[in-house]
Amino acid sequence: MDKLIIQGGGPLRGEVWISGSKNAALPILSATLLSEGLVTVANLPHLQDVTTTIELLGSLGVTVSIDEKMQLEVDNSTLHSRTAPYDLVKTMRASILVLGPLLARYGEANVSFPGGCAIGSRPVDLHLRGLEAMGATIEIEDGYIKARSDGRLVGCHILMDIVSVGATENLMMAAALANGQTVIENAAREPEIVDLANCLNAWGADVQGAGSNRLVINGVESIEGGHFTVMPDRIETGTYLAAAVATRGRVKVTQTDPSSLEAVLLKLQETGAIITQGEDWIELDMKGKRPKAVSLRTAPYPAFPTDMQAQLTAINAVADGTGVVVETIFENRLMQVQELNRMGAVINVEANTAVVTGVERLKAAPVMASDLRASAALVIAALVADGETVVDRIYHIDRGYECIEEKMHLLGARIKRVPG
Ligand code: UD1
């Protein structure tokens, strides 16, 4: 297993571009299953999760190719299977997103129960209940979700009792080809939901209200396909800015969308960062100062994202003062804490709350990545630690950060990958 070796030291300085959003790309790739015609998707990040999704499409028989502009071209006409197999699904929870599109388009879908990051039990009951409300019959057999629809799914009224990004996406995609109108109340409002709705509409669907908590989807006869460009990754953006804060540096991120990061930028400002922004860039300058500790509570968009919680915990670990971090989305998402404490951080966890008392400097130690965003927190901590930190199990990082060593190099970090 590859490792990252990071020599802690000075501030990050420089400019780095932001890749396409992983969490927008995965549902959009699943949505290609709805289309009758060819679709092309641009600005896909080169990430393990994207490769896994492309493999998943391939295993269904879909023809996927990359054209001369590095755009993915998807042709469904060769699809011959409706089964998302265990081997692929177990490595990536977002594989569940093929359930809605396969069922809506072909009347049949078999998807192995998903795996993914070990950050809590992460059930899929909301996905299944919504599809049943649209008329599907669902059975669980041999570890597989087996969904069937007798003819088209039927539009209906769905109230989600928990705000779920994935369930909103799955049901939106299924409803796009249902008979009649579907209304989803208490829908997730994340920017990736808006990107998916824009994509579906560009390909011929009729989805209204994305970005609000009430989605209205008027089912259409067919989705013709077309082109779509994936939005920039707001979590990657936030991660490089958080690294700049922790290292007291000055970093400009480009090819991004500041409007999707309001809650994160407010918190980073609270640490003492000076932030300037344009339409597609953000510059953050700590003026060489130590960050101030911040307290935060994760919640669905537009509140502070759970996917940035670990990175802010790493900032607090070296900040001036004490920050209280409350994780409300996932029950087991403070796993970075143990590893940070091994590097000299002073963090106490009780239930879903981490109380972080900042120390002046951390010390290098061998640490292990446990999930995607926890890994990002370890990289940030390593950048400010005295000595050489070895981060093991970085396949977690490769699931969500494109070219992390190259991008960190651009900012002056001393970081290298060693094959394990
Ligand atoms: C997505 C993101 C992930 C992010 C999360 C929350 C992708 C590929 N992943 O994950 O990076 O951390 O949103 O912003 O976009 N829940 C249920 N039943 C369900 C579905 C969810 O109880 O059927 C619960 C989950 O256990 C969790 C909460 O709802 O406590 C939110 O999860 P959800 O928004 O569904 O997360 P994902 O879509 O899996």
Side-chain angles (χ1 to χ4, degrees), residues 219-274:
V220 294
E221 198 55 43
S222 65
I223 288 182
E224 301 306 329
H227 178 69
F228 195 72
T229 301
V230 174
M231 67 178 276
D233 197 307
R234 65 191 168 103
I235 305 301
E236 188 196 25
T237 304
T239 301
Y240 284 103
L241 295 178
V245 170
T247 61
R248 311 182 187 186
R250 177 179 179 165
V251 165
K252 183 173 182 181
V253 285
T254 60
Q255 298 176 40
T256 189
D257 177 6
S259 70
S260 63
L261 276 139
E262 212 179 329
V264 173
L265 296 182
L266 280 173
K267 276 298 153 197
L268 296 179
Q269 242 158 5
E270 257 186 65
T271 70
I274 312 288

Side-chain angles (χ1 to χ4, degrees), residues 14 64 69 77 99 139 142 154 172-173 187 194 198 209 276 279 301 314 332 344 359 373 404:
V64 182
K69 292 187 209 138
S77 60
L99 182 67
E139 282 173 11
D142 310 325
V154 183
M172 185 201 296
M173 292 187 281
V194 178
N198 288 342
T276 44
E279 205 179 315
Y301 193 84
N332 192 17
V359 296
R373 305 305 169 186
I404 188 157

Side-chain angles (χ1 to χ4, degrees), residues 22-24 26-27 49 92-94 96-97 119-129 160-169 188 190 192 234-235 299-301 305-308 327-331 333 372-373 399:
K22 169 178 90 73
N23 285 356
L26 302 183
D49 276 8
M92 191 188 65
R93 180 184 155 80
I96 187 73
L97 294 172
I119 57 174
S121 64
R122 302 183 86 177
V124 291
D125 55 314
L126 296 170
H127 303 239
L128 306 188
R129 250 188 277 149
M160 314 268 267
D161 58 3
I162 296 176
V163 178
S164 161
V165 175
T168 303
E169 291 167 344
E190 269 65 5
E192 293 78 12
R234 65 191 168 103
I235 305 301
Y301 193 84
T306 174
D307 285 352
M308 281 299 300
E327 170 59 52
T328 74
I329 307 287
F330 294 112
E331 73 249 34
R333 211 179 196 182
L372 172 54
R373 305 305 169 186
R399 289 188 45 216

Side-chain angles (χ1 to χ4, degrees), residues 314-394:
I315 291 178
N316 277 340
V318 290
D320 184 16
T322 298
V324 178
V325 174
V326 184
E327 170 59 52
T328 74
I329 307 287
F330 294 112
E331 73 249 34
N332 192 17
R333 211 179 196 182
L334 291 165
M335 285 189 294
Q336 71 281 10
V337 165
Q338 271 187 342
E339 299 299 281
L340 292 175
N341 282 350
R342 294 182 58 245
M343 297 175 75
V346 180
I347 309 175
N348 288 307
V349 173
E350 215 165 291
N352 65 344
T353 301
V355 179
V356 192
T357 305
V359 296
E360 188 67 43
R361 291 202 71 80
L362 296 172
K363 288 186 222 73
V367 289
M368 207 180 285
S370 56
D371 73 57
L372 172 54
R373 305 305 169 186
S375 325
L378 296 180
V379 171
I380 292 174
L383 291 170
V384 286
D386 291 327
E388 193 175 85
T389 297
V390 180
V391 186
D392 202 351
R393 299 205 176 166
I394 59 162

Side-chain angles (χ1 to χ4, degrees), residues 24-42 44 57 71-76 101 105 172-173 176-177 195-207 220-230:
L26 302 183
I28 286 170
L29 287 175
S30 302
T32 64
L33 290 167
L34 292 166
S35 169
E36 281 185 11
L38 281 184
V39 292
T40 52
V41 184
L44 283 170
L57 293 176
Q71 288 180 159
L72 203 74
E73 188 177 85
V74 181
D75 173 6
N76 283 325
R105 173 94 196 281
M172 185 201 296
M173 292 187 281
L177 278 184
D195 216 42
L196 176 62
N198 288 342
C199 169
L200 290 172
N201 288 342
W203 293 349
D206 181 359
V207 181
V220 294
E221 198 55 43
S222 65
I223 288 182
E224 301 306 329
H227 178 69
F228 195 72
T229 301
V230 174

Side-chain angles (χ1 to χ4, degrees), residues 274-293:
I274 312 288
I275 294 177
T276 44
Q277 52 184 268
E279 205 179 315
D280 64 353
W281 59 268
I282 304 168
E283 187 167 76
L284 182 149
D285 191 355
M286 285 306 281
K287 304 268 185 209
K289 292 201 191 100
R290 184 180 180 191
K292 292 192 273 272

